[in-house]
Amino acid sequence: DMGRYKPDVVVGFGSYHSVPPLVAAKIKGVPIILHEGNSVPGKVNRFFSKYARVTTVNFPQTAYFLRGKSLQVSFPLREGYSTSFTSKEEARKHFVLHPNKFTFLVFGGSQGALTLNTHFCSAALDLVERSSNFQVLHLTGNDEVTEELRDFYRELPLDANVKSFEKRMDIAWQAADLVIARAGALTIAEQIEMETPGILVPYPFSSEEHQDKNADFMENEIKGAIKLTETELIPTKLSQTISALVENDHSRLNAMRKSLQEYKNQSRYRGLAS
């Protein structure tokens, strides 16, 4: 009940669940603030942006889809998301991994983990034929799949920690040299914050293909990731992409990491369209 609760401000993040309180705020004259984490805003934020005091955005081009004042800010993350809170070595020890081996972080988020799980395992078989000097932190999203993948990795000459879910994603990101994941807004925000190069596979059924647009921005504008569509995600393509990134003493990975760092430092709290 907006009248009984009497909020000072109503903040919406774009879901359909936010429509009733945003409508009530407009009727009652309560200030509205919106946040849009994806590169292409959803219908709710597009509609209500004209009524908002400000819409904060994660990507600069998002402002062009909105009406009213926009402000680019970093995505709101939990306390502790920082590259300086612990070392890579300590983060890897947290997951019982070798402190100095090249580390993959693989996860599919809340949707579409099965495809990533299957194709990365196939790629790992190809990669391990050339070198076993890497290790994997694999978050499956499913307890049954976790047991299957643990059996799979036990047969390979490499270290792996396989879990269904992980509450301390800040430590998982810090442990990683390369992430293979979907391209949701939160994943992108964490990737930028933790300066982790990535191979992004957009979820093909995301609304208005926003994950596609997120991955395009990461690849073409920030230059901190490589985008592979799900149709391109065949084992040989994935292993070839990984191999190209880690060759020449990781020079391309280092360039991607530097690009992420520069974007993070330059983009925070920059005013956009008004």
Side-chain angles (χ1 to χ4, degrees), residues 39-250:
S39 57
V40 177
K43 295 176 182 178
V44 174
N45 277 349
R46 283 206 302 265
F47 178 81
F48 281 97
S49 61
K50 58 188 174 184
Y51 303 119
R53 295 287 181 90
V54 65
T55 302
T56 59
V57 298
N58 198 29
F59 300 96
Q61 77 270 24
T62 309
Y64 299 108
F65 297 92
L66 302 168
R67 287 181 278 179
K69 183 179 180 181
S70 298
L71 183 71
Q72 186 178 1
V73 303
S74 55
F75 196 98
L77 299 174
R78 289 186 304 234
E79 184 179 359
Y81 271 86
S82 168
T83 56
S84 62
F85 81 99
T86 189
S87 67
K88 280 197 176 296
E89 291 77 11
E90 289 300 318
R92 290 166 185 166
K93 288 179 182 178
H94 175 86
F95 292 106
V96 199
L97 292 170
H98 192 283
N100 298 314
K101 278 189 177 182
F102 188 93
T103 305
F104 291 97
L105 170 62
V106 184
F107 67 96
S110 58
Q111 295 175 309
L114 180 60
T115 300
L116 291 187
N117 291 340
T118 302
H119 286 289
F120 181 78
C121 288
S122 298
L125 284 172
D126 186 35
L127 292 168
V128 82
E129 289 181 0
R130 290 174 253 171
S131 171
S132 60
N133 193 31
F134 67 91
Q135 58 193 354
V136 182
L137 175 56
H138 198 141
L139 310 178
T140 70
N142 181 290
D143 289 338
E144 183 177 342
V145 174
T146 295
E147 291 305 314
E148 293 175 0
L149 292 197
R150 283 175 178 165
D151 291 339
F152 165 79
Y153 282 115
R154 287 190 190 104
E155 299 299 317
L156 298 181
L158 56 85
D159 296 322
N161 188 332
V162 185
K163 304 181 71 174
S164 301
F165 304 98
E166 177 54 49
K167 292 182 179 180
R168 292 302 305 272
M169 283 301 295
D170 51 340
I171 304 179
W173 279 103
Q174 182 68 338
D177 291 300
L178 178 65
V179 65
I180 296 159
R182 293 299 190 182
L186 181 57
T187 296
I188 296 296
E190 292 178 347
Q191 183 188 352
I192 293 171
E193 184 62 39
M194 301 304 289
E195 304 168 11
T196 307
I199 297 173
L200 300 178
V201 185
Y203 183 59
F205 306 111
S206 61
S207 61
E208 302 184 61
E209 298 182 332
H210 69 262
Q211 287 206 12
D212 250 340
K213 305 299 191 301
N214 292 350
D216 286 339
F217 187 82
M218 289 293 290
E219 180 177 49
N220 300 323
E221 301 298 326
I222 298 180
K223 304 187 187 308
I226 292 175
K227 170 186 167 182
L228 290 180
T229 64
E230 192 147 304
T231 55
E232 293 175 317
L233 196 67
I234 58 176
T236 52
K237 176 69 171 179
L238 182 57
S239 62
Q240 287 167 4
T241 303
I242 292 170
S243 296
L245 286 174
V246 300
E247 65 184 10
N248 296 327
D249 200 26
H250 302 172

Side-chain angles (χ1 to χ4, degrees), residues 8-35:
D8 295 311
V9 64
V10 172
V11 182
F13 283 80
S15 75
Y16 287 106
H17 301 292
S18 66
V19 172
L22 290 172
V23 170
K26 178 67 175 64
I27 293 171
K28 294 289 186 180
V30 178
I32 292 171
I33 293 176
L34 302 176
H35 180 79

